[in-house]
Amino acid sequence: MPLAESLLQWATISIHGCAKMQEPSPSTKSIQQSSPPDMVTGIRYRYRSIRTPRARAILRIQHEAARAIRQFLDEAGFVELLAPIIGPVTDPGIRGAAAVPIKFNGEVFTLMTSMILYKQMVMATLPRIYSFSPCVRLEPTASRGTGRHLAEFYQVDLEVARASCEQVMDVGDALLVQVLQAVRKECEPQLELLGRTLPLFSGSFPRVTFAEVVEMLRDEGIVLDSRRELPWKAEQILSQRFETPFWITEYPTGSRGFYYLTDPERPSLLRSFDFILPEGYGEIASGGEREHTLKGVIGKMHRTREKPAKYKWYIDMLREGIPPSAGFGIGLERLTRYLCGVPHIWECSPFPKVPGVI
Ligand code: AMP
Ligand code: MG
């Protein structure tokens, strides 16, 4: 049997002999460009799919993005913090996903779905922090087809004491611009292999209100419940309409978790935003100003049917007082997906867990 026919998909071959150096011909490029592997096979045989030049290029780009993020935040005076992995409570605002409970010291703890409550705790001691924080969310099986849901992912989670939404959105603008520049500069061969041309942006990205978004979508024939989060489909359509990343601001009160601040001047609105990527890649970050008063949090917990008793340490902390703050969490694999231009997020995790894929 000829050698090529006996090879398994993603097999590695070693060739022994004497190499004669030759200039690559123009046709070499087309051989080098890679196409996305099948997701189910790629995950099941990850120990093979990870060996490909394509997987190597994606992981190399992810590393460069992480390096650029650290460099940017360190230079901006942020302190990197080790993120919690388990805790007595975690972020309840996870849109239909489930948290994973575990037993610890005879109590029920949970794996972090996000470290938001713990970021607030640190504001009293370090006013500018970030973490590469692991998050576990058992997303519904239907999210398998969105191309952007993993059950285990990392957030670059940052928080700034006494900051406004506008100030942290400025940080997000500059951070994304710097990451794009670094990846374009340092990862040219990897981008070429993936067939990805990254746009070059500068300055700040557009900020549109949730109400404006509802209007835009109405023009597309999509009618939204203006008190709820954007459905995935609607968000994707919006994302396809924009040519640059953009922010959606002023989410309606009641659409999000208890830790978002209600606009003091306009109680129907939250001081909360999303950061959306163009080309259909969709949401990359959510954040806002935090509700940090005991009264405000208890009031919101009643509305979202959370039991304050479950959040004992958090409530005790608020009773003693914490500084106001604002921040956001960027999904690192979603950022990688955009940078690499790959169709499904599974390729952006070295050890992917996708809801509904065994
Ligand atoms: P959230 O607070 O739920 O908006 O999460 C913050 C960010 O984490 C999102 O904007 C995404 O970039 C990322 N993220 C959230 N859920 C997932 C998921 N299931 N898989 C991958 N990334 C996620
Ligand atoms: Mg979100």
Side-chain angles (χ1 to χ4, degrees), residues 91 93 137 139 148-150 153 155 283-286 329-331 334 345:
D91 180 358
R137 300 184 187 180
E139 299 281 359
R148 58 198 187 89
H149 284 91
L150 291 163
F153 61 96
Q155 278 187 23
E283 179 199 319
I284 196 195
S286 293
I330 305 180
R334 286 199 190 169
I345 194 170

Side-chain angles (χ1 to χ4, degrees), residues 95 137 229 256 260 273-274 283 285-287 334:
R95 300 181 73 176
R137 300 184 187 180
E229 284 264 19
R256 299 199 147 183
Y260 283 115
F273 55 73
D274 274 353
E283 179 199 319
S286 293
R334 286 199 190 169

Side-chain angles (χ1 to χ4, degrees), residues 243-268:
E243 282 175 5
T244 69
F246 64 100
W247 302 87
I248 302 177
T249 61
E250 301 184 359
Y251 271 84
T253 302
S255 64
R256 299 199 147 183
F258 59 75
Y259 43 79
Y260 283 115
L261 190 73
T262 302
D263 191 319
E265 277 118 66
R266 294 168 300 169
S268 62

